[in-house]
Amino acid sequence: MEEVLGRFKGSRGELIGILQAVQERLGYLPERAMLRIARFTKVPESQVFGVSSFYAQFRFKPVGRRRVMVCQGTACHVRGGAKILDEIEKRLKIRPGGTTPDLEYSLDTVACIGACALAPTIMINKDTFGRLTQKKVGDIFGGTPEKGGE
Amino acid sequence: METVTLTIDGMEVRTQKGASILEAALARGIYIPHLCHHPDLGPFGACRLCLVDVNGRMLLACYTPVAEGMKVSTETGALASIRKMTMMLLLNDHPSDCTVCSKDSKCDLQKVSAHLGITKADLAILRPARRENPVDTSNPFFDRDLAKCILCGICVRTCDEIQGAGAIDFGFRGSKTTIATLWDRPLAESNCESCGECLVRCPVGALVPKGAKEPSREVRTTCPYCGVGCQFFLGMRGNEVVSSRGYRGSPVNHGELCAKGRFGHSFVNHKSRITKPLIRKDGKLVKTSWEEALTHVATRLAGYKGDAFAALCSAKCTNEDNYVIQKLARAVMGTNNIDHCARLCHAPSVAGLAQSFGSGAMTNSIEDLLETKCFLAIGTNTTSAHPVIGLRIRKAVRNGAKLIVANPREIELCRISDMFLRQRPGTDVALLSGLARIILDEGLEDREFIAQRTENFDEFRKSLEAFDTATVERITGVPAEELRHAARMYATVKPAALLYSMGITQHSHGTDNVLACGNLAMLTGNLGKPGAGVNPLRGQNNVQGSCDMGGLPNVFPGYQRVDSAEARLKFEKAWGVALPSKPGLTLTEIFDGAINKAIKAVYLVGENPVLSDPDAHHVEKGIKSLEFLVVQDLFLTETAEMADVVLPATSFAEKDGTFTNTERRVQRVRRAIEPLGRPDWLVTCQIAKAMGAKGFDFQDPAGIMAEVASLAPQYGGVTYDRLEGPAGLQWPCPSKDHPGTPILHTAKFNTPSGKGKFVPLGYIPPKELPDDEYPFLLTTGRSLYHFHTGTMTRKSDGLNVLHPREFLEIGPEDAGRLGISDGERIVVSSRRGKVEATAKVTAASPPGVVFMTFHFAESRTNLLTSPHLDPVAKIPEAKVCAVKVEKA
Ligand code: SF4
Ligand code: SF4
Ligand code: SF4
Ligand code: FES
Ligand code: FES
């Protein structure tokens, strides 16, 4: 953290750059980091949070070892992307933006990952999985979907 | 003032250049709907309701500055429909429970909606898309119901631009946008200072006071808490104090208030107020009549005339109260044994500044601070102890002023400071002299000022030889580079104001510290000019006044020395009695005297020394050794419980009088409700009269002030009539036609020679330093939410929620080494005693240093502190003592 800050002067204008650099290093923006950034830039902590919560790129929770990105682009949507997302949510018991407590998975939605031919698709870290069905999702993630879960 | 003429709706309007169209229109009485504009804040342009037509273009009236010849129409068909649409979108989000909203009939949303003629039919086509936000009730004084928030941003900008706290901001985005603290936590868990400035500006019912009661009448008066002396309208219903509203006309606070001044008044009507005199019978305090109590006190006191008696007056009481108490001690009891808690905070300021400049008070005015270009804030946690002065510093810094904070602890102001010098506690003389030495070495001193306005410079210069930068770095722990940088900043950015408080005075060498401040300011010529000066921030509301009134053992009212034959003659003539010439005992000596039986009787008004004074065991022992103790207070304090007679006093809300704030401004205190006890001045006069004394037949406090004016030259021109104005009067005000003095020493100093006096100093380490057995340095201070020993603030439920217990602040490394975690109960002990407290692990405390406040009866911090006295001012060294910390 201190090493990342060392690359900046600590001016207000650098705030977004600092937030990005810190997120790159830590994977997300924990509260401690935000407090430190607030002190470093002399920007009130509420404003540091205000800015970072405005931009979708910033994460406030740690990322899992496997980052699941579920495509909700047009092609995937047409071919049941929403059901796939639903199924994954049930199996991992988290919502988009969340991370499993064991830090194994985190879940996000994305718009088109450029593999429309394979729709509906998801990516786990760098690997793409296509032509998904609820069953295939089960094979990938294991676990049993809870009836009437979320 | 440059003016611009434009036409609004065909009317010619002349206005100030730089004003916005909206301001010009409103000033002319032309209403343009608006929700996000607030006269105290910069333009924002969020609500888009203020659209007007300017020469055929649609522009935001709040954002567009006026221009010569501009033609503005506030109503056109197009404008009306756009405004209506905007308004409907706002209403779509807004709950419609107006009748049960406490903002009903005062709500700007209602006002605009009515102006635009929104009908029920319009609302019927809405598809309510309400945000779900649970009401944040965490703050003890007001609730936040963000479902009603219209996102005007007024609170965000207030918190940023006016309060400078930055506790809230817009968070998230799109339809999720809301006003959020860090991590969108409840307000009470953020760095919100509970000032309530946002609350008073919110245009709708999103921010509303808890249990709000509208007052049925209001009285303008002075805040009873700190030395800032903010002015407000106290609101009453019947005999109950229900509200307080800042007075915008006051040069002190311009309508702003801190949490204590805005919300801290429930102590006035607190159920534990004593209303009947108490007298000790068979070892127990029992209720009695005023008659009996006063006769008893008068009879007993008659037996202790002379130096066996001592009076302790009060920095909480009015000038008039204090004047009659010291008159009783001197003229009736025949002793100069009178003192008060100023001894514990600013006696060194009075002694030190009198030596340097001839006058022991803040040299400049609070308003002046906005002109300051560089602040050196040493030993003052201004935003906590003097919140509204803290706002002036924040504002000046926003406008580009430099701020140097010198403090062992990382205080709030460090967030906005340019430099933070973290000197070891008790090394201030070395720090200040080190800065002076660098300034001289680099030739940055103000030679002209030194030559013309000061004396004793050469001796001073010689004394600085001991303070070379390497030595100073070693003593203070502040790196040489930072010392140099700070010295240059203070010497070259002018005007520079030096502010200090108890971090400077509460030391065994407190007077030296004050002298070092004086030296540094003279060296750079920062005296007698706006925005400069040496500014001790006085703690209690009337600590300045109680010193002015002669509540000190060595001076009569107006700082006229009791050992001067001339002064004595003047007072003997005025009072018609012979007066003692020997200076009396100080507060600390009075308790010593009690223990060795030299002092036998004490009359104590509005103080609670068992809690407030260092080395409390000693004080308690002193009090127990007395033959006769009379306590006059609002509550049965820890000290009052030991008294022989307790007399119920009255709070600021129940009596007339004056307080003198830290900038020497005499201001009125006005009776707002029926007294629950008797006004203090009256009680004292009744005791004196029962003893057969003459000269206590005052009809009212105005009569007392007239006598003060005739005897204390600084108050010569002060009358109640003149105090009716919005600003009061700043002393010296020697005559009825004198306007008062905002800045001292503009042409000459108050010393006999008229010159400022440099005083050579040496560094003396604190008397008690950490050792193997007591490895930590304990330093004490106060919290934003409490005041002094808490007799008032701790009777306010809300203030107790914000700071419910005594904390010991300890740095993370030290806590880690001792295995202490945040929130754990711990025991702190010194050579004199031990107390329990809750650990608060925070980086604000540097390694080896721990911090406590002294507001709590359960954890009596002052059982620990050191009794070592400053040799001149006899102030105890409350700021430094050695302790050990263990798990409870
Ligand atoms: S809480 Fe009040 S002042 Fe703040 S943005 Fe909402 S409506 Fe405006
Ligand atoms: S009460 Fe004061 S500090 Fe707290 S949010 Fe409102 S303006 Fe900011
Ligand atoms: S700053 Fe001091 S005088 Fe002003 S409201 Fe607060 S406590 Fe009262
Ligand atoms: S829409 Fe899903 S990959 Fe293109
Ligand atoms: S008042 Fe102009 S946009 Fe709100």
Side-chain angles (χ1 to χ4, degrees):
Chain A
M1 178 87 199
E2 293 307 313
E3 188 236 313
V4 176
L5 294 184
R7 308 206 298 261
F8 296 87
K9 284 197 295 292
S11 76
R12 205 187 167 96
E14 293 173 324
L15 182 57
I16 293 185
I18 295 174
L19 288 167
Q20 283 167 336
V22 170
Q23 169 153 304
E24 195 168 303
R25 169 61 54 92
L26 304 178
Y28 72 114
L29 294 171
E31 179 169 358
R32 281 227 321 280
M34 284 214 213
L35 287 170
R36 182 71 193 90
I37 294 169
R39 252 174 79 178
F40 182 64
T41 54
K42 296 191 175 164
V43 172
E45 53 205 45
S46 69
Q47 290 177 19
V48 174
F49 179 72
V51 167
S52 41
S53 66
F54 181 82
Y55 293 101
Q57 58 174 295
F58 295 116
R59 307 178 58 95
F60 304 118
K61 294 194 186 126
V63 214
R65 277 175 284 277
R66 295 189 219 187
R67 205 172 155 205
V68 184
M69 282 162 286
V70 183
C71 182
Q72 300 288 293
T74 321
C76 293
H77 178 74
V78 174
R79 305 178 87 167
K83 276 215 190 82
I84 299 300
L85 176 61
D86 220 42
E87 185 67 23
I88 298 175
E89 283 182 9
K90 278 183 193 153
R91 287 185 182 266
L92 297 181
K93 302 188 181 66
I94 51 174
R95 306 270 249 143
T99 300
T100 55
D102 60 2
L103 294 188
E104 191 57 33
Y105 292 106
S106 54
L107 180 60
D108 282 297
T109 57
V110 288
C112 192
I113 54 179
C116 304
L118 299 178
T121 64
I122 65 170
M123 268 179 95
I124 301 181
N125 293 342
K126 298 224 157 59
D127 306 323
T128 308
F129 298 80
R131 300 225 173 84
L132 291 175
T133 59
Q134 288 177 339
K135 180 170 174 306
K136 274 197 189 164
V137 169
D139 295 344
I140 297 170
F141 294 101
T144 35
E146 250 161 55
K147 288 273 178 305
E150 283 217 290
Chain B
M1 187 180 88
E2 252 189 281
T3 60
V4 170
T5 309
L6 67 160
T7 54
I8 303 180
D9 293 341
M11 275 198 289
E12 202 159 273
V13 176
R14 184 197 285 267
T15 183
Q16 199 179 335
K17 196 180 167 195
S20 68
I21 297 175
L22 182 60
E23 283 164 335
L26 292 175
R28 182 61 195 267
I30 304 169
Y31 179 69
I32 300 173
H34 60 273
L35 283 172
C36 68
H37 161 82
H38 191 282
D40 298 343
L41 304 167
F44 194 53
C47 73
R48 316 198 70 79
L49 283 165
C50 65
L51 273 184
V52 288
D53 182 297
V54 181
N55 307 338
R57 286 169 62 207
M58 278 196 211
L59 294 173
L60 292 179
C62 67
Y63 230 95
T64 315
V66 289
E68 191 61 43
M70 200 178 228
K71 284 198 172 38
V72 179
S73 312
T74 67
E75 268 318 309
T76 66
L79 287 175
S81 70
I82 294 177
R83 281 190 196 137
K84 194 162 174 182
M85 188 48 88
T86 312
M87 191 61 194
M88 304 260 292
L89 289 173
L90 277 175
L91 290 173
N92 193 32
D93 273 356
H94 198 85
S96 48
D97 55 357
C98 287
T99 48
V100 292
C101 177
S102 71
K103 237 350 199 290
D104 185 32
S105 81
K106 287 166 299 187
C107 170
D108 284 355
L109 196 67
Q110 286 179 342
K111 183 172 171 188
V112 175
S113 169
H115 182 82
L116 297 178
I118 307 268
T119 61
K120 208 169 175 182
D122 292 328
L123 294 182
I125 61 163
L126 293 179
R127 286 209 273 144
R130 253 148 240 161
R131 279 158 292 153
E132 299 217 350
N133 274 308
V135 181
D136 174 6
T137 57
S138 67
N139 186 288
F141 308 115
F142 61 94
D143 290 341
R144 285 202 316 159
D145 183 357
L146 292 180
K148 290 185 185 161
C149 171
I150 55 165
L151 297 173
C152 68
I154 286 178
C155 58
V156 170
R157 289 176 288 146
T158 299
C159 193
D160 187 36
E161 292 174 33
I162 293 181
Q163 185 64 14
I168 43 178
D169 191 12
F170 286 92
F172 311 100
R173 67 164 163 180
S175 64
K176 292 207 173 71
T177 307
T178 183
I179 305 299
T181 62
L182 170 70
W183 234 251
D184 200 16
R185 291 240 176 75
L187 207 51
E189 290 168 35
S190 74
N191 59 339
C192 163
E193 295 169 346
S194 291
C195 65
E197 293 292 339
C198 56
L199 164 71
V200 298
R201 288 185 179 77
C202 177
V204 299
L207 301 176
V208 289
K210 278 199 159 87
K213 267 194 206 165
E214 284 289 304
S216 49
R217 65 198 162 85
E218 291 188 322
V219 171
R220 175 148 72 89
T221 191
T222 305
C223 179
Y225 284 108
C226 84
V228 180
C230 296
Q231 300 290 296
F232 53 68
F233 293 96
L234 197 65
M236 275 72 56
R237 259 203 203 186
N239 245 359
E240 191 193 351
V241 173
V242 295
S243 63
S244 136
R245 178 167 67 87
Y247 171 47
R248 299 178 74 102
S250 163
V252 176
N253 59 313
H254 297 287
E256 285 148 23
L257 294 172
C258 77
K260 284 175 291 222
R262 194 182 307 281
F263 302 115
H265 304 304
S266 53
F267 76 92
V268 172
N269 299 99
H270 197 273
K271 57 185 183 317
S272 62
R273 283 280 306 267
I274 40 175
T275 53
K276 286 249 156 44
L278 303 171
I279 197 161
R280 193 167 296 278
K281 282 188 179 150
D282 306 323
K284 272 216 202 78
L285 283 173
V286 293
K287 285 192 184 136
T288 182
S289 67
W290 273 102
E291 236 79 274
E292 190 191 341
L294 290 171
T295 320
H296 183 73
V297 170
T299 324
R300 292 290 308 267
L301 287 186
Y304 298 107
K305 282 196 179 176
D307 290 339
F309 170 83
L312 295 174
C313 56
S314 170
K316 287 209 261 300
C317 288
T318 62
N319 288 325
E320 293 74 6
D321 295 337
N322 281 295
Y323 177 81
V324 292
I325 297 166
Q326 64 85 37
K327 187 172 177 184
L328 172 91
R330 296 194 158 105
V332 184
M333 297 304 291
T335 178
N336 283 313
N337 289 342
I338 173 150
D339 205 358
H340 68 289
C341 71
R343 187 67 47 204
L344 305 176
C345 51
H346 274 290
S349 299
V350 175
L353 295 181
Q355 197 177 339
S356 302
F357 310 146
S359 204
M362 184 161 163
T363 60
N364 288 55
S365 299
I366 296 170
E367 228 182 356
D368 242 45
L369 299 177
L370 289 176
E371 291 179 50
T372 300
K373 290 284 174 300
C374 176
F375 293 95
L376 172 55
I378 179 164
T380 159
N381 187 358
T382 324
T383 51
S384 282
H386 302 90
V388 168
I389 293 184
L391 300 190
R392 297 293 165 274
I393 301 179
R394 282 173 172 166
K395 187 159 180 192
V397 169
R398 258 186 103 80
N399 295 339
K402 300 278 178 217
L403 170 61
I404 307 168
V405 173
N407 206 305
R409 306 179 59 236
E410 182 171 347
I411 55 171
E412 219 300 308
L413 277 179
C414 295
R415 187 166 58 79
I416 54 162
S417 66
D418 294 275
M419 293 206 66
F420 171 33
L421 310 178
R422 197 170 212 176
Q423 80 272 33
R424 295 198 180 99
T427 63
D428 309 271
V429 168
L431 178 69
L432 293 163
S433 304
L435 295 177
R437 165 79 186 258
I438 296 168
I439 290 170
L440 269 179
D441 283 353
E442 304 199 355
L444 301 173
E445 75 273 23
D446 184 338
R447 291 198 194 102
E448 200 185 310
F449 186 89
I450 295 169
Q452 288 171 4
R453 303 276 323 263
T454 70
E455 58 193 17
N456 216 27
F457 177 66
D458 292 328
E459 275 87 318
F460 168 63
R461 175 190 281 269
K462 225 175 282 143
S463 75
L464 290 181
E465 272 164 26
F467 295 102
D468 60 275
T469 309
T471 307
V472 172
E473 171 172 355
R474 192 164 42 70
I475 297 173
T476 61
V478 180
E481 208 30 61
E482 288 183 20
L483 290 169
R484 276 190 213 105
H485 194 75
R488 287 178 201 139
M489 198 181 269
Y490 176 75
T492 57
V493 185
K494 288 184 178 179
L498 196 155
L499 307 180
Y500 72 82
S501 191
M502 263 112 88
I504 279 291
T505 55
Q506 288 189 334
H507 290 283
S508 56
H509 48 265
T511 307
D512 286 358
N513 286 348
V514 172
L515 292 168
C517 292
N519 288 342
L520 191 63
M522 282 189 284
L523 186 65
T524 50
N526 273 309
L527 283 163
K529 298 166 190 156
V534 175
N535 299 293
L537 305 179
R538 311 290 306 244
Q540 300 223 34
N541 54 325
N542 197 33
V543 65
Q544 182 67 50
S546 48
C547 292
D548 299 348
M549 291 304 114
L552 297 170
N554 57 337
V555 289
F556 293 118
Y559 303 98
Q560 302 169 79
R561 301 182 61 100
V562 297
D563 52 10
S564 138
E566 195 191 329
R568 217 165 43 245
L569 205 66
K570 171 174 170 184
F571 282 89
E572 285 179 345
K573 232 173 95 196
W575 293 345
V577 288
L579 294 171
S581 61
K582 190 171 83 165
L585 301 180
T586 62
L587 180 66
T588 16
E589 289 164 343
I590 288 171
F591 292 111
D592 292 342
I595 290 175
N596 60 38
K597 303 281 178 199
I599 299 285
K600 298 200 174 72
V602 167
Y603 175 37
L604 186 150
V605 180
E607 298 234 342
N608 190 11
V610 172
L611 223 53
S612 67
D613 295 13
D615 199 0
H617 275 320
H618 186 75
V619 171
E620 212 173 305
K621 195 164 151 212
I623 287 182
K624 285 197 177 128
S625 322
L626 291 172
E627 288 174 18
F628 188 58
L629 173 67
V630 185
V631 172
Q632 190 168 310
D633 208 309
L634 304 180
F635 300 102
L636 200 56
T637 61
E638 291 75 9
T639 312
E641 274 169 22
M642 301 181 193
D644 297 287
V645 180
V646 183
L647 302 171
T650 44
S651 73
F652 81 112
E654 299 149 67
K655 62 187 170 195
D656 284 308
T658 55
F659 290 153
T660 305
N661 78 351
T662 188
E663 48 165 1
R664 302 168 276 107
R665 192 184 297 278
V666 188
Q667 305 188 105
R668 274 298 311 276
V669 176
R670 291 182 180 83
R671 180 175 145 160
I673 59 168
E674 219 35 65
L676 296 171
R678 278 187 192 176
D680 296 79
W681 63 269
L682 186 65
V683 176
T684 309
C685 289
Q686 285 173 337
I687 295 174
K689 286 198 277 189
M691 293 178 76
K694 300 258 173 315
F696 287 86
D697 299 306
F698 301 104
Q699 287 310 305
D700 50 25
I704 303 175
M705 184 49 80
E707 183 168 316
V708 172
S710 71
L711 290 166
Q714 296 89 332
Y715 283 71
V718 177
T719 65
Y720 273 36
D721 283 347
R722 292 190 71 192
L723 293 178
E724 283 306 310
L729 281 169
Q730 276 177 293
W731 69 254
C733 175
S735 61
K736 298 262 181 318
D737 52 6
H738 191 286
T741 312
I743 304 176
L744 296 179
H745 320 306
T746 46
K748 65 182 196 55
F749 287 94
N750 241 355
T751 50
S753 63
K755 300 213 166 178
K757 189 167 182 212
F758 279 104
V759 184
L761 297 168
Y763 167 67
I764 308 159
K767 285 281 173 331
E768 186 176 295
L769 283 173
D771 51 26
D772 288 346
E773 203 188 342
Y774 297 99
F776 287 98
L777 215 153
L778 168 73
T779 178
T780 61
R782 46 172 81 187
S783 137
L784 168 60
Y785 300 115
H786 284 300
F787 193 73
H788 210 63
T789 68
T791 23
M792 285 148 69
T793 44
R794 297 203 62 206
K795 304 279 184 322
S796 155
D797 297 342
L799 295 169
N800 256 347
V801 171
L802 290 173
H803 187 158
R805 278 188 301 281
E806 185 67 273
F807 286 107
L808 173 94
E809 296 191 3
I810 182 168
E813 299 91 13
D814 288 333
R817 208 157 28 73
L818 296 173
I820 291 171
S821 46
D822 199 56
E824 198 170 330
R825 291 298 284 174
I826 42 121
V827 178
V828 192
S829 39
S830 79
R831 288 192 172 76
R832 288 156 295 276
K834 63 163 92 165
V835 300
E836 257 193 66
T838 304
K840 180 171 173 195
V841 178
T842 160
S845 264
V849 176
V850 293
F851 171 83
M852 277 175 109
T853 61
F854 57 90
H855 308 293
F856 296 89
E858 308 88 278
S859 304
R860 286 163 53 187
T861 311
N862 283 322
L863 290 176
L864 304 170
T865 46
S866 152
H868 295 291
L869 298 184
D870 176 275
V872 185
K874 305 271 169 63
I875 188 172
E877 187 158 53
K879 284 289 172 193
V880 185
C881 80
V883 295
K884 68 176 167 218
V885 178
E886 296 154 310
K887 292 186 175 225

